[in-house]
Structure formats: structure tokens, C-alpha cells
Amino acid sequence: MQNVKITIQYDGTDFHGWQVQSSLRTVQGELTRVLALLDSRVVTVHGAGRTDAGVHAEGQVASFFLEREFEPRALRDAINGNLDRDVRVFDVEFADDSFNARSSAKLKTYRYHIWTGDVVSPFLRRYVHHHRGQVDVDAMRRAAAQLIGAHDFGAFTVATPEVKQTVRNLMRLDVEPRGESLLIIAAADGFLRYMVRTIVGTLMDVGRGRLSADHVSGLLATRDRADAGPTAPACGLTLVRVDY
């Protein structure tokens, strides 16, 4: 058997997230369907990040074992030939048997794109969160700096039975204005559900003056989701890359 590592891009607008769900279209579900056709059996697909409904990916990574032998380019083309055009495999390589796209990941990087102009181009609307008007970028940066490092991010997620540990090491949280775009780039060893989007919503509340920059450090201590900002819309979030 071959352990296959693939790099994928997708427009998450019309997907109900990454993870397989009964009767709903998901990225993992589409890959599982196609690989079953190619390998004549049920193939288990592991993804580096379980992106939520509406979240996009430029550098998602997945891995799976195949019994049938393929050349990398032939496998890429065979998978893409059976997928809709909003998801594409860009790279295929064979990995050591111990490699797993999720558990082997060392760093995941997400980008959140906010559009602050009065009008959003129809070519951007599926990939940005529209917030008209300026925000206090310096205050947002001061708040973001307090979140860097290994912390309990319980205030920035939702409680789920399967997640017992809410400590994550956030290594990067940049706030970058670029014309009418405001980019928030986050990199960590792992992320909790809605974590990036809740951080973004909290930083935006700081930028709008609804929360103080110092309020953010208190959230790490209280772990109270009710004290954090809203969960930013999924459309602005993209999984940029996964490092191993």
C-alpha cells in the first residue's frame, strides 16, 4: 500500500465544512467518494485541519493509503477528473507510512480577510468579511500581542465533549492593513473550533472601541466565551498552509 499526501485548494462557500457529514456535501466526503471509485474500496482520508462550513483553503493537506498503485501526476488528474471545480488537488507525493496529515502537522497558518471599503467587488465577496469603516489598528495589535504564546484559549472556542484540552501555542497573530483590506494572520501548533474567527471578532471589537486592548488578556484567565467578541463570518477565513 502507498501512503499518499496531497495538497488541496477549495472554495468553501458551498461545502458544509471539511468533515464527513451524512447527506451533506463536505470536502472530506467528496475525496472519500472519489478515492472509493479509484481504489474500489472505502478509503479513510485524514485532513490537517477540520475547516468549518464556508471556510476556504489554499494549502489544506490530506493523507490516505491506497492499495492500487498510481504515479503522482496520474493520481492527481484522476482525482480532479472526478471532483467539482470548487475543489482541486495541486500536489501529490508519497509519504512514509508513519505520516498522518493531522497528527504530523507542526504549524497551521490561517488568514482572515476583512474589507473596510464602502463597496465589495463581486469577485471578492465570497472570500472577505465586509466591515465598512476604519478601525484602530494599533489597539488591535496591542490586543493581539497579549495572545501570543501557549495559553488556554477556552474563551475563544465552544465547549465540545471530544476536546479535553484547550491550551494551544499561538506563534503568530499579525494585523496587517493593506489599502481597503485588513488581514489577520494566525499561526499555531493547532486551533480549536471557531478559535481564529472568535479571535478576529474580539480584535474587531477592540478596533471599534467596544472592548479595550487590555480586556483580551483577561479572557485568557476567565476562559469565559461570553466575555469575548462575536464569531466572525466564515467567508473571510482561509487555511493558507500546513507545515510539517
Side-chain angles (χ1 to χ4, degrees):
M1 296 184 73
Q2 294 175 315
N3 191 14
V4 183
K5 173 188 174 186
I6 61 174
T7 303
I8 322 157
Q9 294 187 355
Y10 48 86
D11 177 340
T13 307
D14 298 324
F15 286 102
H16 291 268
W18 165 265
Q19 196 165 358
V20 169
Q21 299 181 53
S22 176
S23 75
L24 295 176
R25 183 172 183 255
T26 69
V27 181
Q28 187 185 38
E30 287 297 283
L31 289 171
T32 300
R33 175 185 62 81
V34 170
L35 293 170
L37 294 174
L38 300 179
D39 212 33
S40 301
R41 67 183 185 92
V42 176
V43 177
T44 300
V45 180
H46 301 280
R50 296 176 182 174
T51 52
D52 295 316
V55 175
H56 316 291
E58 292 178 359
Q60 172 73 284
V61 176
S63 62
F64 48 84
F65 283 89
L66 289 184
E67 291 182 350
R68 182 180 172 188
E69 292 189 0
F70 287 89
E71 291 297 321
R73 183 172 180 176
L75 179 57
R76 180 201 65 189
D77 293 346
I79 297 173
N80 286 338
N82 288 280
L83 289 171
D84 287 334
R85 290 179 293 178
D86 53 358
V87 54
R88 278 292 177 267
V89 175
F90 275 82
D91 186 63
V92 173
E93 58 184 292
F94 299 123
D96 184 87
D97 285 354
S98 63
F99 177 81
N100 179 284
R102 185 171 180 81
S103 61
S104 299
K106 302 299 184 186
L107 186 73
K108 299 172 188 176
T109 302
Y110 282 86
R111 179 185 65 242
Y112 197 92
H113 191 170
I114 300 161
W115 187 261
T116 61
D118 288 343
V119 181
V120 178
S121 164
F123 297 105
L124 288 177
R125 66 179 181 83
R126 291 163 69 100
Y127 313 108
V128 302
H129 167 43
H130 188 202
H131 171 75
R132 296 175 63 174
Q134 298 303 306
V135 292
D136 187 338
V137 172
D138 288 339
M140 293 174 70
R141 285 173 170 163
R142 290 197 302 273
Q146 299 174 52
L147 298 177
I148 298 296
H151 302 289
D152 189 326
F153 285 93
F156 298 90
T157 186
V158 291
T160 54
E162 65 270 18
V163 178
K164 307 298 183 185
Q165 174 61 264
T166 53
V167 173
R168 297 292 184 272
N169 187 8
L170 186 62
M171 304 173 193
R172 178 184 180 189
L173 187 58
D174 298 340
V175 181
E176 300 181 1
R178 298 181 185 177
E180 293 182 304
S181 290
L182 180 62
L183 304 181
I184 298 177
I185 300 171
D189 57 353
F191 289 94
L192 301 162
R193 190 174 190 188
Y194 303 143
M195 178 175 160
V196 177
R197 290 163 58 193
T198 307
I199 287 175
V200 170
T202 303
L203 293 181
M204 286 298 290
D205 270 4
V206 171
R208 289 187 286 237
R210 296 177 181 175
L211 295 174
S212 70
D214 292 335
H215 177 82
V216 174
S217 61
L219 294 172
L220 298 174
T222 65
R223 302 178 64 250
D224 190 344
R225 175 64 186 87
D227 290 338
T231 303
C235 57
L237 186 61
T238 299
L239 174 57
V240 176
R241 62 178 292 157
V242 183
D243 292 296
Y244 292 92

